Amino acid sequence: MTTLPGIADIHAAAARLSGLIIETPLIESQELNRRFGGRILFKPETLQRTGSFKFRGAYNKLSSLSAEERSRGVVAFSSGNHAQGVAASAAMFGVKAVIAMPSDAPAMKIANVRKMGAEVVPFDRFRDDRMTVIRPYMERGMVLVPPFD
């Protein structure tokens, strides 16, 4: 049974991320408020360190690992945003990262992941099972950083 995070977990995550993330603003559009008859707010996470909110989860996961777990490296699968978050976080911790990415993922995201120092393992999203692709790395002891959970 999965235990959902509580408010204490959220506060702890915020403390771990303090000073590392961009506190993105809320932006309001009066025109959209009028058009839809409510208050519409946008949170531009594209301004975040890696261009999405995924950095937050990846960094929190890596920060929760023991030194021994980090020494084994991390593995993930993603077509872009999570891959970049894991690669950036791994670089910050000096941890080896292997990311399985679909071969048709955006070239810029693949390049960014490599530029951050992660190894990219391409796979065919229509033919290959991503868990099968990363399983050998997990069997060698690398820690899975899932794109959700």
Side-chain angles (χ1 to χ4, degrees), residues 90-144:
M92 293 171 77
F93 281 100
V95 170
K96 177 175 176 52
V98 174
I99 317 288
M101 297 183 76
S103 53
D104 64 347
M108 180 189 293
K109 291 187 180 190
I110 293 171
N112 286 343
V113 169
R114 287 185 172 132
K115 190 176 2 175
M116 289 182 243
E119 176 186 343
V120 173
V121 177
F123 70 95
D124 184 322
R125 77 169 74 231
F126 301 108
R127 190 185 70 229
D128 302 326
D129 173 59
R130 62 190 182 199
M131 288 304 293
T132 302
V133 172
I134 66 167
R135 186 167 289 111
Y137 300 95
M138 293 172 61
E139 288 170 353
R140 285 185 232 152
M142 296 183 94
V143 178
L144 174 63

Side-chain angles (χ1 to χ4, degrees), residues 62-80:
L62 268 73
S63 69
S64 73
L65 299 177
S66 68
E68 188 277 325
E69 288 171 316
R70 282 192 209 124
S71 73
R72 293 186 270 139
V74 296
V75 63
F77 51 84
S78 166
S79 45

Side-chain angles (χ1 to χ4, degrees), residues 3-20:
T3 304
L4 295 176
I7 193 69
D9 298 310
I10 294 167
H11 287 297
R16 284 189 294 275
L17 288 163
S18 180
L20 298 173

